[in-house]
Amino acid sequence: MTGGARAATLDLTRDAGALTADLVDIESVSGDEAAIGDAIEAALRGLPHLRVDRDGDAVVARTDLARAERAVVAGHTDTVPLAGNLPSHVDGDLLYGCGTTDMKSGVAVALRLAAAMAEPVRDVTYVFYDCEEVEAARNGLGRLSRTHPDWLAGDFAVLMEPSDARVEGGCQGTLRVDVTTRGQRSHSARWWRGENAIHAAAPVLDRLRAYTPRRPVVDGLEYREGLNAVAITGGVAGNVIPDACTVSVNHRFAPDRSEDEALAHVREVFAGFEVTLVDSAPGARPGLDKPAAASFVAAVGGEPRAKYGWTDVSRFSALGVPAVNYGPGDPELAHTPHEHVSLAKIADCEARMRAWLAGR
Amino acid sequence: MTGGARAATLDLTRDAGALTADLVDIESVSGDEAAIGDAIEAALRGLPHLRVDRDGDAVVARTDLARAERAVVAGHTDTVPLAGNLPSHVDGDLLYGCGTTDMKSGVAVALRLAAAMAEPVRDVTYVFYDCEEVEAARNGLGRLSRTHPDWLAGDFAVLMEPSDARVEGGCQGTLRVDVTTRGQRSHSARWWRGENAIHAAAPVLDRLRAYTPRRPVVDGLEYREGLNAVAITGGVAGNVIPDACTVSVNHRFAPDRSEDEALAHVREVFAGFEVTLVDSAPGARPGLDKPAAASFVAAVGGEPRAKYGWTDVSRFSALGVPAVNYGPGDPELAHTPHEHVSLAKIADCEARMRAWLAGR
């Protein structure tokens, strides 16, 4: 076990809401998942019906009952940066704190299933991985798909991303570009000798404000695109006309467009500006017509809808594993300072997943 | 002597151009002036006709000949951040490198005068100080005026800021404000739940682009104001709608306006936005009608003009010491990556200053 001395202790017999709070209180902003990885690994190693593997801060556990079908249940352990929202606290039915909805409640349900379901009707592989909230190149599931693709093999995957306990089909793609303006440095007291690159970025922001995103219907589900500045930087010193300004723009695109098509669209929006691709990940079409997905939907109930956020269903899709999103968190609250989750929804989600794995 | 073991060696008998190169090659971006301060202190301590004092990284040396008049010759030793322009190099008559014009050529002339003029017709105080290129609160001359005002006493001051070897009267004031826009964080895949603070900064940049600065005439000299973004920052993470964006704006204002009047003007330009004052320093009217200034102008020759940049003449002005700008550097080249200075102008400036101190 790596770094076991530092691991907090997780008790997988506590109810899923309490276990969610325990997980939330182990701070794990992307890149800092060693402690939570250690805690998960330690808790699972004690279970005789699981084989446990580790790669970096990712932990993979599986039953090996030679069932006809293998399901993958997956969740990421990292969170976005804190916003003054730790430690967690409970207010009535709601648990507040960074990662409550996205997605330590889903991780808690998966851990509870892993501990309690010693003989599921289908073999299950539980995947807990790092660095989902940062650029695609660092994604822990992406790393596993390169280093240990066999660990991810299965007939169907449930990614426990926040979906408000409804099955969400497919996902939107996401890409980031840097839109950079250039100028010429000079002393700001003699500004006419220079050319202000920050002022030159005004039309970039104007185009973002004026942009109207598409809402296309794909395989019966409506998606909702977006084009947003997520960062802006420029400046040399307090008395220097800046010679560069970079607007980092995130485009979320529906799964009827490929990454290349989406990038071409972004380049068109910023025609005349220097546009550099930073990061890109494809969307996934809903795929609910596939039999494995349809049987899961039937087991847990409810009306499927489109997934707006990019999720690793796209990665499973690329590996040929049909996958849906299903988790207790509310996606509308993800990454907000007042992020929270309903304790009742966590329990309900666990009960439906148990029924599915028990074949009831 | 502070940190003497680290001091580079300066030879004040080398010609002023070579000495400028030696000073330029001692890197001294604001806040990192210990090495250059040590070198200057060591070089001056060896001269029997000077008393040498030190305060932090500032070095002050003076003759004490009981002359009827005392002149102050001052220059700062720091530079703006490097722009790939060190070490220095010579091309024909031009010396290139960070700080060549602003203002190590002026410092070299002052050091040459300090070493060579053992019996000037007026007593002279030479002031070499730190942190001129950063916010006013850190300014070394400001610190000396609080800790050792007696060191700065005099009847007239020459600040050897780049003036292209012409006497420049007064200076413009400068202030910086942060113009901040606020929004609401959300996941960028569900951007409609948030409010993008970077997009909200578009009108701030639009107003800067549309702004037309004044060119007022004050005491017969024309000034040229400016209003420029010098930095912009915003962003939380690559998938989060940002909740704040700050544009740092530098206003350069003519000496017919006080700091308060200039700030009121800036607030008017950004009406409707959150404006926070960061830093402010007053301008100085030309003041060439004062006798000490007039006699210096007569000695060195040429037609005085307005000083665009803020300089510490304003600080001397506040201490009741009439002051002008006069130095060999070209102010238009200050803070540019291709900063350079004419070796002939350095020599000419030294010759004129020698004539003035020799009473010729």
Side-chain angles (χ1 to χ4, degrees), chain B residues 158-308:
Chain B
V158 179
L159 190 61
M160 299 200 67
E161 283 280 355
S163 72
D164 214 13
R166 289 172 62 176
V167 177
E168 293 191 328
C171 75
Q172 295 198 125
T174 179
L175 66 81
R176 270 189 290 260
V177 294
D178 281 346
V179 183
T180 300
T181 53
R182 306 283 177 185
Q184 170 83 30
R185 286 190 198 186
S186 74
H187 194 299
S188 63
R190 286 169 294 281
W191 52 269
W192 56 91
R193 300 281 292 182
E195 199 186 324
N196 196 314
I198 294 176
H199 295 196
V204 175
L205 300 189
D206 289 336
R207 287 185 203 181
L208 285 167
R209 282 166 71 93
Y211 184 81
T212 304
R214 296 191 312 147
R215 300 180 74 156
V217 174
V218 183
D219 296 354
L221 300 181
E222 189 191 68
Y223 290 86
R224 188 165 179 181
E225 297 191 330
L227 187 71
N228 272 280
V230 288
I232 189 166
T233 57
V236 177
N239 53 4
V240 179
I241 298 300
D243 56 357
C245 180
T246 297
V247 187
S248 174
V249 175
N250 182 213
H251 180 40
R252 301 284 173 154
F253 54 97
D256 62 336
R257 280 190 176 161
S258 69
E259 293 171 271
D260 286 348
E261 288 166 344
L263 177 60
H265 172 66
V266 170
R267 289 193 188 281
E268 194 173 73
V269 170
F270 296 110
F273 289 95
E274 184 182 326
V275 175
T276 310
L277 180 66
V278 173
D279 187 52
S280 177
R285 295 184 74 104
L288 294 177
D289 50 337
K290 292 180 181 162
S295 75
F296 176 79
V297 171
V300 301
E303 182 70 23
R305 61 180 175 186
K307 183 70 181 176
Y308 296 132

Side-chain angles (χ1 to χ4, degrees), chain A residues 100-118:
Chain A
T100 45
T101 194
D102 186 9
M103 57 171 289
K104 290 180 175 176
S105 47
V107 169
V109 169
L111 284 170
R112 290 271 299 162
L113 296 174
M117 304 295 284

Side-chain angles (χ1 to χ4, degrees), chain A residues 80-83 102 132-134 162 172 174 176 184-193 196 198-203 205-206 208-209 213 224-243 245 247-248 250 252 307-310 330-338, chain B residues 80-83 102 132-134 162 172 174 176 184-193 196 198-203 205-206 208-209 213 224-243 245 247-248 250 252 307-310 330-338:
Chain A
V80 292
L82 306 189
D102 186 9
E132 193 271 348
E133 298 289 8
V134 287
Q172 296 199 126
T174 180
R176 270 190 290 261
Q184 171 82 32
R185 286 190 198 187
S186 74
H187 194 299
S188 63
R190 286 168 296 282
W191 52 270
W192 56 90
R193 298 282 291 183
N196 196 314
I198 294 176
H199 295 195
L205 300 189
D206 289 336
L208 285 167
R209 281 165 71 92
R224 188 165 179 181
E225 297 190 330
L227 188 72
N228 272 280
V230 288
I232 187 166
T233 57
V236 177
N239 54 3
V240 178
I241 298 300
D243 57 357
C245 180
V247 187
S248 173
N250 181 212
R252 301 284 173 153
K307 184 69 181 176
Y308 296 132
W310 187 89
D330 179 352
E332 305 278 0
L333 298 169
H335 304 194
T336 67
H338 56 289
Chain B
V80 292
L82 306 189
D102 185 11
E132 193 270 349
E133 297 290 8
V134 286
Q172 295 198 125
T174 179
R176 270 189 290 260
Q184 170 83 30
R185 286 190 198 186
S186 74
H187 194 299
S188 63
R190 286 169 294 281
W191 52 269
W192 56 91
R193 300 281 292 182
N196 196 314
I198 294 176
H199 295 196
L205 300 189
D206 289 336
L208 285 167
R209 282 166 71 93
R224 188 165 179 181
E225 297 191 330
L227 187 71
N228 272 280
V230 288
I232 189 166
T233 57
V236 177
N239 53 4
V240 179
I241 298 300
D243 56 357
C245 180
V247 187
S248 174
N250 182 213
R252 301 284 173 154
K307 183 70 181 176
Y308 296 132
W310 187 89
D330 179 351
E332 305 279 1
L333 297 170
H335 304 196
T336 66
H338 56 289

